[in-house]
């Protein structure tokens, strides 16, 4: 009779901290295998490492390659019901070929051809869009048409109906970030199809969405407007505000006022205007500007991040690896790997002369679980 494979496979090995390998021990391990049991003493080093050892590795994706392949997909792969989105995800090379940029985060380039619609649906996964180039697409979230332009950040918490439309005569690309890998392990996901067509009333391209007109005025919370759903009620954070905030920080620093993270390094966190919290329950988003010639201090943090170079060029170091980066490039910083950047003049000189980085990470989850830790890497 053929042996039946059990999923548990234990091998008695001679090693420090392990029992002597004897025929009796081997028999004991076979009993464990048969009964689907695993002793702690063979696993503890992996289950309880002294410090985080991420399964993900640092990796860089060049924007030029992503856009070229997305454009090819635009000519070959229609968008419609079933596939839902022409979104092409970053697969971390050490996460088994799954579409996971990190163990918790999904990141993809999405591409819509002129006049195309991506159909309406909703899901429990929390999502956002960030636009590194182009314009002309708007996303309809719960019937509110939100224009998308370079530098805009659009959070969209789970269970909101949403569809996209390219109203321009050019293809448009942007990035999507979602907490798909995290929700995958929770086994608590839901998904529903919406209407097959959005209404003509929603086929408009306003300069500002309704959500921006209610929630998008700095420091002014509307009185009498309830906000009870998760995540930010503000559906777009426009580039003009982000850019001005960062420019002001660096300019004031030059004049001797405090207000930056560290010399030459300004940053802002996108926040919920209702209560100041993160824009999404599971995802934090930030924008960092590193003045030309400035360098950031290497930092280790629990949790993982994905960055996109919005503008400028420089050198990024993650753990043991360094890359030269330019506009649009995306890279991953796994948990507890030292991260730093240096801003350098390069081929794609930015509007501000600085290295501009969009960042998203899973910090809200780690903070909620009190697993957040930061260490300056000396
Ligand atoms: C989704 O709905 C979008 O709405 C983007 O643009 C990426 C990846 C997986 C599942 C749903 C979008 C997605 C997604």
């Amino acid at each position: 009779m053929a042996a039946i494979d059990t999923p548990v496979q234990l091998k008695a090995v001679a090693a420090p901290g392990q029992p002597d390998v004897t025929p009796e021990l081997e028999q004991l391990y076979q009993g464990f295998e048969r009964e689907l049991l695993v002793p702690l003493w063979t696993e503890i080093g992996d289950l309880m490492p002294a410090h985080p050892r991420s399964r993900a590795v640092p990796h860089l994706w060049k924007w030029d390659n992503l856009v070229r392949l997305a454009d090819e997909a635009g000519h070959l792969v229609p968008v419609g019901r079933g596939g839902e989105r022409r979104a092409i995800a970053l697969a971390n090379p050490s996460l088994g070929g799954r579409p996971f940029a990190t163990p918790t985060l999904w990141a993809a380039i999405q591409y819509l051809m002129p006049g195309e619609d991506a159909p309406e649906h909703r899901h429990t996964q929390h999502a956002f869009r960030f636009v590194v180039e182009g314009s002309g697409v708007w996303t309809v979230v719960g019937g509110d048409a939100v224009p998308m332009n370079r530098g805009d950040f659009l959070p969209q918490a789970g269970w909101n109906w949403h569809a996209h439309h390219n109203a321009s005569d050019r293809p448009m690309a942007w990035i999507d970030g979602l907490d798909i890998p995290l929700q995958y392990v929770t086994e608590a996901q839901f998904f529903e199809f919406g209407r097959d067509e959005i209404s003509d009333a929603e086929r408009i391209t306003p300069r500002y969405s309704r959500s921006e007109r209610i929630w998008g005025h700095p420091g002014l919370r509307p009185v009498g407007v309830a906000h009870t759903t998760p995540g930010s009620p503000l559906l777009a954070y426009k580039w003009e505000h982000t850019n001005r905030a960062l420019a002001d920080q660096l300019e004031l620093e030059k004049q001797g006022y405090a207000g930056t993270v560290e010399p030459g390094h300004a940053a802002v966190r996108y926040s919920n205007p209702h209560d100041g919290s993160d824009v999404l329950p599971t995802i934090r988003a930030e924008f960092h500007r590193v003045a030309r010639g400035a360098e950031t201090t290497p930092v280790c943090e629990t949790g993982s991040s994905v960055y996109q170079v919005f503008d400028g060029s420089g050198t990024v170091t993650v753990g043991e690896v360094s890359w030269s980066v330019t506009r649009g490039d995306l890279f991953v910083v796994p948990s507890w790997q030292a991260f730093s950047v240096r801003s350098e003049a390069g081929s794609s000189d930015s509007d501000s002369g600085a290295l501009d980085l969009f960042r998203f990470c899973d910090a809200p989850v780690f903070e909620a679980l009190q697993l957040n830790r930061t260490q300056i890497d000396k």
Side-chain angles (χ1 to χ4, degrees):
M1 204 167 44
I4 297 167
D5 274 350
T6 66
V8 172
Q9 299 203 332
L10 294 170
K11 200 165 153 41
V13 288
Q18 296 300 315
D20 292 340
V21 180
T22 61
E24 291 79 5
L25 188 80
E26 282 171 344
Q27 215 169 12
L28 174 68
Y29 280 14
Q30 281 169 21
F32 286 160
E33 286 182 1
R34 266 197 316 276
E35 296 300 322
L36 302 179
L37 299 169
V38 179
L40 177 61
W41 60 83
T42 63
E43 295 284 322
I44 190 162
D46 181 49
L47 294 177
M48 295 193 172
H51 53 79
R53 273 197 249 126
S54 183
R55 287 182 295 126
V57 292
H59 195 78
L60 172 74
W61 287 263
K62 298 296 285 180
W63 183 242
D64 288 353
N65 294 334
L66 298 183
V67 173
R68 183 173 41 78
L69 290 165
D71 188 63
E72 279 180 35
H75 290 91
L76 289 172
V77 184
V79 175
R81 256 307 163 243
E84 300 298 298
R85 298 291 184 264
R86 192 184 289 114
I88 306 158
L90 311 183
N92 193 289
S94 69
L95 295 178
R98 306 300 322 267
F100 298 166
T102 81
T104 54
L105 299 169
W106 157 291
I109 178 171
Q110 186 167 161
Y111 205 75
L112 264 191
M113 300 299 272
E116 266 185 340
D117 279 326
E120 190 180 59
H121 64 209
R122 65 176 176 176
H123 40 71
T124 48
Q125 287 84 357
H126 302 295
F128 71 81
R129 338 251 157 246
F130 179 72
V131 185
V132 74
E133 63 190 17
S135 60
V137 166
W138 37 257
T139 182
V140 195
V141 181
D144 191 7
V146 194
M148 294 168 59
N149 295 291
R150 172 165 159 81
D152 294 349
F153 169 73
L154 295 89
Q156 184 220 284
W159 217 234
N160 282 292
W161 293 111
H162 57 285
H164 315 309
H165 175 67
N166 186 346
S168 78
D169 56 6
R170 309 249 309 260
M172 183 171 160
W174 64 89
I175 64 162
D176 295 308
L178 291 92
D179 60 1
I180 291 173
L182 176 75
Q183 291 214 17
Y184 195 81
V185 296
T186 66
E187 301 187 339
Q189 314 105 304
F190 292 89
F191 179 93
E192 268 180 17
F193 293 131
R195 300 162 298 169
D196 283 335
E197 297 281 335
I198 53 173
S199 70
D200 285 345
E202 290 160 314
R203 288 183 178 282
I204 47 166
T205 313
R207 179 150 155 64
Y208 293 100
S209 59
R210 290 199 303 267
S211 89
E212 288 163 273
R213 293 168 65 194
I214 295 173
W215 290 98
H217 306 288
L220 300 170
R221 217 176 106 172
V223 176
V225 179
H227 176 62
T228 52
T229 52
S232 177
L234 181 58
L235 297 178
Y237 294 66
K238 278 197 175 14
W239 172 240
E240 64 202 59
H241 302 295
T242 312
N243 186 37
R244 189 141 38 88
L246 295 162
D248 279 343
Q249 282 190 26
L250 288 174
E251 211 174 289
L252 285 165
E253 177 185 74
K254 268 198 211 145
Q255 296 167 12
Y257 296 97
T260 52
V261 180
E262 57 189 332
H265 176 188
V268 287
R269 182 169 300 163
Y270 297 98
S271 70
N272 180 335
H274 177 69
D275 60 8
S277 65
D278 281 296
V279 279
L280 295 167
T282 53
I283 297 177
R284 171 168 295 167
E286 294 177 344
F287 201 104
H288 292 251
R289 175 167 290 170
V290 182
R292 179 173 299 173
E295 203 169 332
T296 66
T297 306
V299 177
C300 293
E301 284 176 86
T302 51
S304 51
S305 297
V306 179
Y307 284 80
Q308 185 172 35
V309 179
F310 180 71
D311 215 346
S313 47
T315 305
V316 170
T317 302
V318 184
E320 308 288 301
V321 295
S322 285
W323 310 289
S324 288
V325 296
T326 56
R327 185 189 277 208
D329 293 352
L330 286 140
F331 60 88
V332 161
V333 180
S335 185
W336 214 244
Q337 299 222 7
F339 168 66
S340 62
V341 303
R342 194 170 62 238
S343 172
E344 292 151 0
S347 52
S348 76
D349 278 353
S350 67
D351 298 340
S352 64
L355 177 62
D356 275 355
L357 297 171
F358 170 77
R359 173 197 192 188
F360 69 102
C361 65
D362 49 17
V365 179
F366 286 72
E367 289 183 358
L369 301 176
Q370 302 194 18
L371 289 170
N372 53 309
R373 272 205 211 195
T374 300
Q375 184 176 293
I376 306 296
D377 191 60
K378 279 167 247 120

